Amino acid sequence: MSETPSTNYSMLQPNSSESDQSLSTRHFNVTEPVVAKRICFYKSGDPQFNGIKMVINNRSFKTFDALLDNLSKRVPIPFGVRNISTPRGMHSITNLEDLEDGKSYICSHQRRIKPINLEQASKRPLPWQISRPVSPHRRAVQLAREKDDVIVQEDRAVKIRTPKKLLVFKNGDIRIRRTIVLSKKTMQNFEVFLDYISEFMQYPVVKLYTTDGRKVPNLQSLILCSGAVVAAGREPFKPGNYDPHRYSLPAKLSGLSNRVYPKANAKSESRNTGKWKVSVLTSDMPSAGTSSQVYITLYGDYGSSGPVFLYGEGELFQRGNEDIFTIDTGDIGELYKIRIGHNNSGESPSWHCEEVQLQNLYSGEQFSLPAHRWLSQDQDDGEICRELPVFRRGQPALPVTIYEVHVTTGELWNAGTEADVYISIHGEEGDTGSRQLLRSKKPRKFLKGQTDIFPLEAVHLGNLYKIVIGHNGLGSGNGWFLEKIVVKDPITDLDYSFPCHRWLDLGEDDGKIVRELNVAETTMFSASKHKTMQKRWAAERWKFQKGNTLQFYSRLTRGFIRLSPDGRVDALGDKKDKYGLFDVTVKRGNVCVFKSHQMPQLALALDNGNVTGKDHEATLCELQVHLQPNRCAILESARNPGHMIKFRLQGKGSDDAIGYAGLSKEFVVHVKGVFHNGAIILLTTSLCQALCLRPDGSCSGAGKQSEESYWKVHKVGSRVCMIESLKNPRMYLRIKDGKCNGTGTGDVYCHFKIEKNLESGSVSLESVQNRGMYVGLQPDGQTKPVVHTGERNILFYPHVIKFGREKPMGTSAIPSQEKGVIRESEHQSAKAQKSVAQSPPPSPPSKEIKNTRSTRYSLPSDDEWKVSVLTGNTGTQANVTLWIYGDKGVAGPITLGKDNRKQLFLPWQEDEFQVKIKSIGEFYKIRIGHDGTTEQSEWKLQKVTLQHVKSMRTLNFPANKWLSRSCGDGDIVCELPVEEAGKPIYPIVRYHIYIYTGHLQQAETDSPIYLCIYGNRGDSGLRLLHKSVMPVKFQRGMVDMFEMEAVSLGKLQKVLLHCEASNKSQYWYCEKVIIRQAGKDSEYIFNCERWLPFMSQGIIHSEIELYPEGEGYCYTMEMKSIICFVCSKSLC
């Protein structure tokens, strides 16, 4: 080979410096060691070429010509590699010494090269990642594009990496079709796209369908469709031959019959090596022919052809026939396998393929690939595609194997799916294509917690690196929680794990129903384990909050840890042992001190690995809590990591590593007071799910752990409770008539015995009325009555949101509780007021306030009072509630009711009730109201009388008020002061409330807004802001004025603002609240300037407390102008 000096023939940037790639001739001495150079060679002008990495030294290649000959066999250039140049073509390499270690070079058959961008070429996806052949020109356009087109759908982004063409058919008329290009402008959202299609098709388009009749509901489904849709108005889908390939084919070449062309033609830069003659032989067996559309995919060293549908004239693939096609696949390199299959369409889709013959029309090379297999979901193994390896010298290029695909559905309730699931496995030697997981070894596929095993036959893929898994979103329960997939390779005897632990559900997580999963590595396992530990701690950390009282149960000794007064510790206590109770003190994170409840000066400690009792201030008492997958806890010394609290089988402490599968150091944590009266709890069913009440009254264990799933405990007797929905008062969990739901009304069918499971920390709910029947969960999470058979579907793990009291207090009626964020006791009266406006729960029959006309009483105690309510000319059937305020506290809410509610509060009737009121000091006012939930919700209240049963002291509260939304002042609650010498001890005050809605976008709301005013003389109760002077309330940038009557609250201290929004579109931005008292020139300003509801520490809060800016403000001209503006609006 001539070594003439190089000449600059082609330069990408003539003025640019090439110092980093310039040659520096190095001369080696014979005494120098052999140095290996790592070089990468690329193909001239072909950015799609993946590059050849070689190690070069004077042993591997004696001469430069030997290197050129070797490269000619590996780099596909028509006349072989005859020139090697630097990437920009400025220098030609003429000897081995000119090659530099770590550099890249361009191979060509002439001195003039076509430069490529090495940075982009090195990032090119691997051949088996390409779903269809891509021409060099098209690939160059993709590489030159700096930014992908992004389509925003709702809050998710759908990326289009190349402009996607879409063929649109008119519904029922295949003659009318248009091809459009998807772009950012036309795909801002689904409605904009439908408008664009309507204008393009010249008729109104309301719905889109896939060519087989499935509805396209959103942009994401549109992007994932096969490239053609059917545009319809309001009429239903009309079946037709909507074939996208038929209308995208070029004209047939003369002289050739039965030709088919792929959707994209990839040509090599100097020749066309991708033309193939394909002969498909259908066997002569009965019913061997098919009505389906058949496709073929060719795989070579450089990539795959993608699915190429085989079309032609007449009936194809009939019994005993040979069908011949010519296809163009582009340069895919040396062929090593094909995949042939069909789309399972038509009346008789089953097909028995005998053989496939291929001939490369450029090289003349021929291949015969015998099949002799059914491609049918009803025959053989149910597959509708087959992979056939190419034979060379009588041996297959790669072996055919049957992978075992283990698909594990998550343990969450309703995690299973009935949709069709598809998978594509990718490896170093290509992919399997999309395969339906059809035949499981289990009778029913994809059930909660189940692992299904599917065989998948394919040409061996080498080392696996990813899978693509998804479903079609069809079926009654189409959402799916996938835990993981394990693929077993029988040839290499390797298992490949692909963790997921996510939803594939349009309504959960990120809304995706297709996921790409990478093979698990060690780092991924550790990251996944850390994330799981964080979730576990988030779900169980409520147990280790300051002030909680705990018990630690050892499953090895079957006893509780107890700390004796002498400092000795064992695990032999029973659940009533007073020395087995420990109070939590949180130090930091998951480090706590567990002080003896009986002896607060002592705490559990680890001293040189021995468990003992120490002074609670000692650092030896600081224990780190590690939660396990079985919800048990391990207690490790924070001072001496590795030392843990452990016990022997005999219950004595041990510092040795002992057996029993780790049970010696794992403890079940039990919290005292979970089911006390008035507690607000979650009944969790998994780390992220809980029992919830559905809008239709049914219950499901697949609810989210949020306010929607909060339940209130009403204690009826020892270990017997009623469970009431906090969001929907008066709806109780019950078992009746063979059904388990949340439509109970507080009768005996709502009574449940709480059975605690010491071994797991869970509880079971057994019906008191139907002994032996428990609240159970079906696989989809729905509740049903079940018999205890040892299964875990009756176990619930309580999570306390707010602790209750061991014994009910106040009145004989159980106080009602509003929904929303649970606050401290100072807010309880305000919350209860809101529940009056929203259906307060009935009291349990055994504890309900009794009507004195039909009940005998025992001798009265000091806290018994008789309540008389006189109704005016209009009665009500709504639920009536009473609060009584004293200078030492509040009694209430007290539900005034009896079994036959329709006989109460009739016109001109006086109803009497007897209640128990603990000492709240001297009474100074009452509040009475109803919830307005029945048809007869208007009520004329005439008078209320309280009489102490023992002393006969009487307090009269004349009212003569309408409690109605349509009559009077529109309020269904009123306050009445105590009178002395015919005069009220505190006056009734009318408060003017000005609510400022902010100027931010979408600041307005149509949600109910409630307000409670607090002063140094109690509160007003939580009142609905019902009647504004503005025609439409809470509009952006507007000021609403409301009036509220209450017994004088004295100096105002704060307000409680509550927004009852059911979704984000109803959120409200409040700027501030101003309150004035009629007849006074001072005002109170409460700045808000935030959205309601709002998120704090992962919890959505529906209400907020606001405090005044100062002690009081003068009545300003600004307020006068506001009043004038509001009044003028009301007059209009």
Side-chain angles (χ1 to χ4, degrees), residues 734-804:
R734 76 170 182 184
I735 291 180
K736 184 179 181 181
D737 300 330
K739 296 180 181 179
C740 179
N741 52 41
T743 60
T745 59
D747 54 17
V748 291
Y749 294 101
C750 305
H751 292 189
F752 290 96
K753 182 182 178 182
I754 309 299
E755 290 188 0
K756 297 182 180 180
N757 189 328
L758 297 180
E759 297 287 329
S760 64
S762 61
V763 299
S764 303
L765 306 179
E766 182 189 13
S767 173
V768 173
Q769 189 70 11
N770 301 279
R771 290 290 185 181
M773 300 303 295
Y774 292 79
V775 177
L777 299 179
Q778 302 179 78
D780 61 358
Q782 293 297 312
T783 54
K784 69 172 183 179
V786 297
V787 178
H788 189 0
T789 60
E791 295 186 17
R792 300 180 59 85
N793 63 335
I794 65 168
L795 302 183
F796 299 92
Y797 296 87
H799 177 157
V800 177
I801 305 299
K802 178 188 175 184
F803 283 92

Side-chain angles (χ1 to χ4, degrees), residues 107-126:
C107 300
S108 64
H109 68 278
Q110 57 184 358
R111 290 198 181 103
R112 186 183 298 274
I113 71 166
K114 297 179 181 180
I116 63 172
N117 188 330
L118 290 183
E119 181 180 357
Q120 295 291 341
S122 63
K123 296 180 180 178
R124 185 183 69 82
L126 299 174

Side-chain angles (χ1 to χ4, degrees), residues 551-561 570-573 626-634 645-651 658-670 757-762 792 795 797:
Q551 292 177 295
F552 298 98
Y553 176 81
S554 171
R555 294 195 294 174
L556 175 65
T557 67
R558 298 186 181 275
F560 290 88
I561 297 179
D570 61 37
L572 299 174
H626 300 286
L627 294 173
Q628 304 304 299
N630 59 2
R631 295 179 182 261
C632 289
I634 292 177
I645 293 182
K646 293 179 288 189
F647 292 93
R648 299 178 183 275
L649 181 61
Q650 296 79 14
I658 56 179
Y660 302 102
L663 292 180
S664 61
K665 60 184 178 182
E666 292 185 352
F667 304 99
V668 183
V669 181
H670 295 271
N757 189 328
L758 297 180
E759 297 287 329
S760 64
S762 61
R792 300 180 59 85
L795 302 183
Y797 296 87

Side-chain angles (χ1 to χ4, degrees), residues 847-961:
K847 294 181 178 262
E848 195 173 46
I849 300 171
K850 303 178 179 62
N851 191 288
T852 56
R853 296 180 179 180
S854 58
T855 309
R856 287 188 178 180
Y857 293 100
S858 58
L859 291 175
S861 62
D862 290 342
D863 54 4
E864 288 189 359
W865 288 76
K866 183 171 70 175
V867 179
S868 301
V869 180
L870 177 61
T871 300
N873 56 10
T874 304
T876 184
Q877 292 184 2
N879 300 294
V880 176
T881 309
L882 173 70
W883 290 259
I884 304 172
Y885 283 74
D887 56 13
K888 294 183 181 179
V890 182
I894 306 168
T895 302
L896 304 179
K898 66 172 186 175
D899 293 338
N900 192 356
R901 187 178 302 144
K902 292 184 179 180
Q903 300 301 317
L904 295 177
F905 311 114
L906 298 178
W908 301 114
Q909 176 176 297
E910 185 173 15
D911 297 281
E912 295 181 356
F913 308 88
Q914 186 159 318
V915 300
K916 289 184 179 181
I917 304 174
K918 289 193 175 181
S919 177
I920 58 173
E922 288 294 322
F923 298 175
Y924 66 87
K925 76 171 181 178
I926 66 169
R927 184 187 309 121
I928 189 169
H930 63 83
D931 56 9
T933 56
T934 63
E935 294 181 359
Q936 299 180 15
S937 58
E938 297 180 356
W939 186 31
K940 185 67 176 291
L941 176 63
Q942 202 68 25
K943 186 176 69 171
V944 179
T945 303
L946 298 181
Q947 185 179 52
H948 191 255
V949 174
K950 187 174 182 179
S951 66
M952 302 303 291
R953 178 191 174 191
T954 302
L955 300 175
N956 293 311
F957 300 89
N960 195 23
K961 288 180 176 290

